[in-house]
Amino acid sequence: MDLHLTTPNTIRHIREFPFDYEGKVVATVIESRNNKREGQAARQTILYVHGFSDYFFQEHLMEAYNQIEVDFYALDLRKYGRSLLAHQHPNFCRSLKEYFEDLDYAINFIKTKNPETQLVLMGHSTGGLLVSYYAHNGALRYQIAGLILNSPFLDFNMPKLVKWCIPSVSDLMVKLNPYASFKGGVSNVYGESLLKRCHGEWEYNENWKPIKAFPAFYAWISAVHSAQSTIKNKSLDLPILLMHSDKSLKLKKWNPKAQEADLVLNVADIERIGLKMGTKVSHFVAKKGLHDLFLSQKTVRDVVFQQTRTWLEKL
């Protein structure tokens, strides 16, 4: 069953899937109202996939691509944002392949409307990992013309010894409690750097993107580690634009430097792994970029957008 909801700028298509281990499951495709209509097919289309403890709210990004005549869609994955249901554990999964159904639906939806469009998957953080994983194993991977990766989650931002222990510790914790969660995680400072009511310039639904991130369940950690292993050990013959900040910081308290660095991932890891992801990787380092480059200061995000525009023109 599909449910279609309209807002001033978007049309939301909510798809119900077969029940999973928690019950009812839905995913939401957000379609820009300014996309090309029938008979005016766009040459290129972007499908945006958000990160962990996140959802799509970046309508400024949607508008920017529409202005250069690129169609824009976003996907709120199951158990995230508009797709989070009351009985579900937020952001929980046992395998990133659980999201493949959501991506299949979104890709089919777009390609049915515009079969000839060049479809580019744009993923931020965990979304960047997911679209890369899908490009290796997804049923409709051959429909993808390229990937834009905005600070993709290609490795855990932890010491080497801790990284080495992740699989065994995660497996043990899941056996003890399927919903066991890691008590650390992303500092609140990142949320403070984004929110308008704190130090940032953005307003969004804090029930879907809380300033203190949702728990990182060990089952999810294990799923992420498995997907990362695939990315590290296989190469994609697909155009990839890899983007990230020029530096990382770890802050426990607010500091103005928080608005000029990646506070979530280690950019050295992104570069080290990302440059080996495929045979056609383009690389851009955004000076003073945030973890989500498109939420950086306007001067920064304008440069990032121009980089993606130039890359799309060459695709």
Side-chain angles (χ1 to χ4, degrees), residues 158-303:
M158 297 176 174
K160 287 185 179 180
L161 180 59
V162 178
K163 291 181 188 180
W164 183 80
C165 295
I166 285 174
S168 55
V169 171
S170 297
D171 288 348
L172 174 61
M173 296 302 293
V174 170
K175 287 178 181 177
L176 293 173
N177 176 4
Y179 291 100
S181 62
F182 177 63
K183 302 305 179 185
V186 179
S187 166
N188 293 1
V189 175
Y190 179 54
E192 293 171 6
S193 72
L194 301 179
L195 276 168
K196 192 172 184 177
R197 67 177 180 84
C198 297
H199 304 281
E201 60 177 295
W202 308 102
E203 294 179 308
Y204 46 78
N205 188 328
E206 292 181 56
N207 292 318
W208 295 340
K209 184 180 174 63
I211 195 165
K212 181 175 176 59
F214 288 121
F217 295 100
Y218 278 100
W220 175 85
I221 291 172
S222 182
V224 165
H225 184 271
S226 177
Q228 289 174 342
S229 296
T230 296
I231 301 306
K232 293 173 185 176
N233 293 316
K234 291 184 179 181
S235 180
L236 288 168
D237 186 25
L238 187 71
I240 299 171
L241 175 57
L242 175 71
M243 308 188 298
H244 56 80
S245 179
D246 62 328
K247 57 184 174 295
S248 296
L249 288 176
K250 286 191 176 184
L251 298 174
K252 293 183 179 180
K253 294 183 179 181
W254 169 256
N255 184 307
K257 292 181 179 179
Q259 291 179 314
E260 298 182 351
D262 190 323
L263 304 185
V264 180
L265 298 179
N266 186 331
V267 296
D269 289 334
I270 297 173
E271 182 170 334
R272 172 177 55 85
I273 299 167
L275 289 177
K276 299 177 182 178
M277 284 181 60
T279 58
K280 303 172 184 176
V281 179
S282 301
H283 184 212
F284 174 67
V285 178
K287 189 175 181 181
K288 296 185 178 181
L290 294 182
H291 176 54
D292 186 339
L293 297 176
F294 289 110
L295 300 182
S296 305
Q297 301 171 48
K298 189 175 187 307
T299 53
V300 177
R301 64 180 185 263
D302 284 350
V303 173

Side-chain angles (χ1 to χ4, degrees), residues 1-4 13-18 24-27 105:
M1 181 186 77
D2 282 350
L3 178 64
H4 307 284
H13 309 277
I14 303 172
R15 163 57 66 93
E16 188 173 323
F17 293 96
K24 184 178 177 180
V25 175
V26 302
Y105 165 60

